[in-house]
Amino acid sequence: MKIVLAEKVSPATLAVFQQEPGWQIVTPDQIKNGLAAELSDADALVVRSAVQADAKLLESAPKLRVIGRAGVGVDNIDTDAATHRGIVVMNTPGANAVAVAELTLGLMISLARAIPRANSTMHAGKWDKKSLQGQELRGKTLGIVGLGRIGLEVARRAASFGMNIIGYDPFVAPVIARENNVTLVPIDDIFKASDYLTLHVGLTTQTEGLINSTSIKIMKKGIRIINCARGELIVEQALADAIKSGHVGGAALDVFHQEPLKESPFYNLDNVILSPHIAGATDEAQEAIGIQLAMQVRDYLKLGVVQNAVNLPSLSHEEYKEIAPYIEMADRLGQFLAHATPGNLENIQISYTGRIAAGKTDLIRNAAIAGIFSSADGGSTANRINAAAIAAERGIRIQEDKKEFTPGGAGSVLKIVLHSSDGDASASATVLHGNSPRLLSYDGIDIEAPLHGTLVAIRNHDVPGVVGRIGTILGEQSVNIANFALGRAHSNHSQRVPHGQALAVVQIDVPKASSATAAVDALRRVEAIASVRLIELGKL
Ligand SMILES: NC(=O)C1=CN([C@@H]2O[C@H](COP(=O)(O)OP(=O)(O)OC[C@H]3O[C@@H](n4cnc5c(N)ncnc54)[C@H](O)[C@@H]3O)[C@@H](O)[C@H]2O)C=CC1
Ligand SMILES: O=C(O)CCC(=O)C(=O)O
């Protein structure tokens, strides 16, 4: 495995990767010919906030499977492009929340007491006590936009200063706000009532430019604004103008539109405190982030465990262990069905029954779709990260239904139905003995066959002698049979499977599926055999 660390990470982060025998770790100082060149054969990329992992950079990384963001905000990563390329994007939510909250409180106190100015005047040999009378935080109203991990840490600390806390976050439960002494209010009330306003939302199309000349106009005169989230949340010139006019009493900014900051409307404004994107940069946070991220990336590369992914639902190690055999089974079932539809694929219906229906099924769904898209020559780029997105791009609808409880306790069963313009194909499967994927039905005929290795699926008329002919032909072609499963349509089956139809799924021992082509051709010439499909089940 090749891991490219594009930005400085803690030594503990390096240590996690270095413990893996044979892994090549590239540190920022070893990147000599540019990041794009380094990524040409990389499996993982680790970034902080400076590197822009955009679509163009990702084009130069054909093998890349995971991007680890050492931190929270992923606005420097084109997650759509990553998803499209089947790359998992992971971050480390919460690991720097206390660090950011502490700096936020530090900046609020610094604004209230003009600590930076007190310090610089003292160093300049001045005793400027008169101009340095401040205000207390006690009794003031703090408005928090974004009550996630950081926003709530800020709220808890601000409560101990005796502040009244109001918050705006459309996605937080009122009970969470209440438990943290936050009164939820509409965003305009935050602007109107806050003495201090602090931003703790990610950069999205909804939050970009949240603080602009219009929102500033309705703010309480003298409001102080703290931004330790993302520079783009504020229209910088509008804020600078409002500070100059005295409508806004001050600002403390850790983040900016352009980083590193080279030119700024805030330079030389007395009541603006600037810091170089350091809110999350504490020894403790960087250590925690680095170790957490390195373990997540390692576990994904080694075991396929997806944790804290922003483009896929995360699973705990236990959850992953439980569904891993079903992910593999879904992929094999999809492969089994690949090319089985008579016309152009329009719709894929995936039904989960039993225990799997109770858990997270996105990985199972994507594996099934990737299996369906897989072709004999391995030309499909769909994988368990991007398969649903690729289906959407191709205009193929995915329908899912779940039934947790089944009469008869059939265990966990996955059923896939491919709907096409000219007809349907369907199959269902389960996992036996912990990790053995088994086919349970194909096109309405019950059967029990291993979903493993090379299979020959034969539809035939249920007449005497066919099974014997199949065995003889395979024997004549020196193809050894590993497993022979038979099923037949019953009169109570759907009308699509006429009574008198049978199915054989034969697992054969061949080094490559192509070694059995002659045998398959011979089988096709048997009159009672309606169709033969040779299926080589690979791993996703
Ligand atoms: N300056 C620095 O060094 C750091 C900056 N950050 C920034 O802080 C942001 C917040 O981090 P966390 O609290 O860890 O993230 P989080 O995901 O735990 O919290 C974000 C909160 O924002 C809320 N939200 C989403 N859209 C909203 C909207 N339109 N209006 C109001 N609330 C909205 C969400 O419901 C969520 O509760 C990150 O996205 C990142 O950009 C994070 C860490 C370090
Ligand atoms: O890596 C850093 O120092 C920046 C952290 C940050 O902005 C984040 O976690 O979103």
Side-chain angles (χ1 to χ4, degrees):
M1 296 286 175
K2 179 175 174 185
I3 318 292
V4 176
L5 307 173
E7 297 183 60
K8 193 173 181 317
V9 292
S10 73
T13 314
L14 261 177
V16 173
F17 291 126
Q18 280 163 344
Q19 275 162 21
E20 296 302 324
W23 285 27
Q24 183 195 353
I25 323 300
V26 180
T27 54
D29 49 309
Q30 292 168 336
I31 300 174
K32 299 285 183 237
N33 299 318
L35 185 54
E38 204 61 73
L39 289 176
S40 64
D41 56 349
D43 299 282
L45 165 68
V46 172
V47 298
R48 285 177 66 176
S49 55
V51 166
Q52 295 299 315
D54 54 22
K56 191 163 181 303
L57 184 72
L58 299 185
E59 267 172 31
S60 57
K63 276 184 67 196
L64 202 66
R65 290 173 56 201
V66 53
I67 301 173
R69 161 65 165 109
V72 183
V74 288
D75 40 283
N76 55 326
I77 299 168
D78 188 335
T79 46
D80 286 342
T83 305
H84 186 80
R85 304 186 74 88
I87 301 168
V88 186
V89 180
M90 298 175 166
N91 67 354
T92 53
N96 56 13
V98 169
V100 180
E102 287 186 359
L103 188 80
T104 303
L105 266 293
L107 292 172
M108 279 166 59
I109 298 171
S110 298
L111 285 170
R113 306 301 299 271
I115 297 172
R117 190 155 58 83
N119 178 57
S120 57
T121 50
M122 288 293 284
H123 281 282
K126 292 185 202 151
W127 187 265
D128 201 1
K129 192 166 172 171
K130 264 199 212 120
S131 80
L132 284 164
Q133 182 157 310
Q135 299 89 37
E136 293 176 6
L137 295 182
R138 181 179 52 165
K140 302 294 185 304
T141 296
L142 169 65
I144 305 178
V145 179
L147 292 165
R149 295 173 185 86
I150 297 170
L152 289 177
E153 293 290 354
V154 169
R156 288 179 200 123
R157 284 157 180 77
S160 71
F161 281 87
M163 301 186 85
N164 308 316
I165 308 163
I166 54 177
Y168 172 72
D169 187 330
F171 312 109
V172 79
V175 61
I176 299 288
R178 249 192 332 269
E179 278 171 5
N180 288 282
N181 302 306
V182 181
T183 306
L184 288 176
V185 296
I187 187 73
D188 280 1
D189 290 3
I190 294 270
F191 295 145
K192 287 176 196 159
S194 299
D195 298 300
Y196 291 83
L197 169 60
T198 185
L199 304 176
H200 299 292
V201 282
L203 175 61
T204 65
T205 44
Q206 282 79 39
T207 60
E208 186 172 4
L210 183 71
I211 308 300
N212 54 47
S213 53
T214 312
S215 56
I216 289 172
K217 240 180 234 141
I218 61 170
M219 288 180 191
K220 193 172 180 177
K221 188 167 176 350
I223 187 173
R224 287 162 168 154
I225 297 172
I226 300 101
N227 186 9
C228 288
R230 282 295 177 268
E232 292 87 343
L233 303 181
I234 296 178
V235 178
E236 291 179 338
Q237 192 58 53
L239 178 60
D241 291 346
I243 291 169
K244 282 184 206 150
S245 77
H247 184 66
V248 170
L253 308 172
D254 184 53
V255 284
F256 308 90
H257 285 227
Q258 290 296 327
E259 295 183 7
L261 196 60
K262 295 240 165 62
E263 269 177 41
S264 170
F266 301 112
Y267 282 165
N268 304 318
L269 293 185
D270 217 14
N271 39 1
V272 176
I273 301 170
L274 304 175
S275 56
H277 203 147
I278 55 166
T282 61
D283 293 346
E284 296 86 347
Q286 289 311 310
E287 186 83 351
I289 286 171
I291 294 174
Q292 187 180 324
L293 185 75
M295 294 198 313
Q296 287 174 196
V297 169
R298 178 199 64 192
D299 289 354
Y300 179 63
L301 291 176
K302 279 178 77 175
L303 309 166
V305 180
V306 180
Q307 288 168 89
N308 292 323
V310 300
N311 54 350
L312 206 69
S314 291
L315 297 166
S316 69
H317 201 77
E318 281 62 42
E319 284 173 322
Y320 183 81
K321 259 171 64 184
E322 192 169 338
I323 69 158
Y326 292 93
I327 296 171
E328 190 59 38
M329 174 266 269
D331 168 32
R332 305 259 184 101
L333 186 61
Q335 289 183 48
F336 181 85
L337 269 179
H339 310 302
T341 48
N344 282 353
L345 188 56
E346 290 177 341
N347 182 338
I348 301 172
Q349 194 176 340
I350 304 174
S351 310
Y352 313 84
T353 312
R355 213 171 138 76
I356 44 165
K360 294 173 188 160
T361 49
D362 299 64
L363 277 173
I364 298 176
R365 175 202 62 206
N366 282 6
I369 301 169
I372 293 162
F373 287 163
S374 70
S375 52
D377 62 2
S380 170
T381 54
N383 65 18
R384 67 171 84 158
I385 310 304
N386 63 5
I390 288 182
E393 273 168 25
R394 294 181 186 180
I396 297 167
R397 270 186 308 136
I398 309 295
Q399 287 174 310
E400 292 174 275
D401 58 83
K402 298 183 179 189
K403 261 193 233 129
E404 242 176 87
F405 301 103
T406 46
S412 288
V413 176
L414 186 77
K415 182 175 180 191
I416 304 176
V417 183
L418 306 182
H419 298 285
S420 80
S421 42
D422 299 326
D424 298 349
S426 71
S428 66
T430 191
V431 173
L432 293 183
H433 318 301
N435 62 3
S436 173
R438 313 292 287 197
L439 185 69
L440 293 180
S441 72
Y442 175 45
D443 269 350
I445 299 180
D446 292 339
I447 194 156
E448 212 239 278
L451 272 174
H452 178 70
T454 304
L455 306 177
V456 187
I458 303 161
R459 287 291 295 273
N460 60 286
H461 302 297
D462 195 4
V463 290
V466 182
V467 173
R469 284 290 291 137
I470 295 171
T472 309
I473 288 172
L474 292 175
E476 281 166 2
Q477 300 291 334
S478 310
V479 173
N480 193 44
I481 296 174
N483 187 288
F484 202 126
L486 287 169
R488 62 191 343 192
H490 295 289
S491 50
N492 59 351
H493 268 126
S494 69
Q495 285 174 339
R496 274 197 345 95
V497 188
H499 191 52
Q501 287 258 329
L503 170 68
V505 175
V506 189
Q507 187 188 27
I508 54 175
D509 290 331
V510 281
K512 285 186 102 231
S514 52
S515 332
T517 314
V520 167
D521 287 344
L523 287 170
R524 285 198 178 112
R525 288 194 289 272
V526 176
E527 205 183 316
I529 290 180
S531 71
V532 184
R533 287 203 305 124
L534 183 62
I535 303 154
E536 187 172 28
L537 296 175
K539 266 183 156 252
L540 196 63

